Amino acid sequence: MLKPFPVHSETGLGFITMLRSVLRPGVILGGRRTPLHPHGRTICLSGREKAGTLAFSLRKFTQTRGSGVMIFRQLFDRDSCTYTYLLADPDTKEAVLVDPVIELAERDAKLVDQMGLNLIYVMNTHMHADHITGTGLLKKLVPSCQSVISKESGAMADVHVEHGEVVKFGEQELEVRQTPGHTNGCVTYVCHGEKFALTGDALLVRGCGRTDFQEGSAETLYESVHSQILSLPDDFALYPAHDYVGHTVTSVAEEKEFNPRLTKSKEEFIDLMNNLGLAYPRKIDISLPANKVCGLYNLPDDLAEKLKDE
C-alpha cells in the first residue's frame, strides 16, 4: 500500500501539488457528464490579495480499497518537457494514461504493473507535434488497453471522443471538453469529482499553446480557453501537457489573474499570438505522420526496433 503523503498545515502544500499524476480512465460512455460526489479534499488558501483562490490538492496516494480517492501521478519527459498523467480508481484499479511519450512508454508500463493497475485507456489531449506519442508502443506492452483521442484530431484510435462525452474508469469520470485553437482536435479532460482538469496544450502555466501551425487559430484558442477552462470554478487545479521552467500545476484563479496572454483582450491576444516569431518545431516532421497512426509510422531506427521486439 502506498503511504499517504505527509501534509503539514503551513508548509507541505506546495509539495503535494507537484505529486499529482494521472492513471488512465476506463470506459467511454455516451451522453453528457454526470457530476460526481467529491471524494478528495481541496483547500483554498489566501495568497496575494489579487490572486484569488489557489488550488492545492491534498490527494492521498493510496490503493486502499474503499478510499474513493483517485490515484494520480504526474510524470515528465525531459527532452520534450511533456507531462504524462497516470490516473486510476483505487477500488477497481482501472487506470488511464494521458499524453504518453514513446521513449518513456516502457517506464509507464512498468509503473502501471508495479502499482497493480489495469490500464484500460491510453489517451491524448491532441495530436502532438513535439514528440511521438507512446500510445502504439503501450498497446503492444499492455495489449488489453485501447487508444483514445478526439474525433476532430483526424488521428487513428480505437475510441474517438467528442465534446460532452464522459470517460469512466472505475468510479472515476473525466468530462471531454473540446478546446481547439492550438489544433482542431485539442480537448481538455475535466474531473469534477476531484476538481481538476488536464488542459493539454490549450492552456499552460502562465501561457498557452502556439497557434501558427497545424490548424492553429488565436481567436479560436482564446474563445476555447475562456469558455471551457477558465469558466470552471476558481479552485480547480489545472495540469498542462508541457512546462519549460519547472511549474507543475496552476489553478483557474491564478490563470485568470496572472496569465500574461489570456488576461489580454481578444484583439490583443490575436495580435500577440500572430507575431510570436517562434522557431519551427524540432520534431514536427517525424511526430505528426507517426501520431496520425498512434505513433507507429516511419519511426527512427531505435524506436522501430522496440516495436519489432514486442
Side-chain angles (χ1 to χ4, degrees), residues 90-134:
D91 296 338
T92 66
K93 304 300 187 291
E94 288 187 338
V96 299
L97 268 168
V98 181
D99 287 339
V101 176
I102 191 169
E103 287 87 354
L104 296 172
E106 290 164 305
R107 173 204 66 183
D108 299 342
K110 182 177 180 180
L111 180 60
V112 167
D113 180 64
Q114 290 175 337
M115 296 182 71
L117 301 173
N118 172 26
L119 185 64
I120 57 173
Y121 293 121
V122 181
M123 308 166 64
N124 280 282
T125 54
H126 64 292
M127 189 164 63
H128 302 274
D130 54 4
H131 67 271
I132 298 174
T133 179

Side-chain angles (χ1 to χ4, degrees), residues 33 52 71 75 121 276 286 295:
R33 173 184 62 83
I71 299 167
L75 308 169
Y121 293 121
L276 290 178
I286 62 169

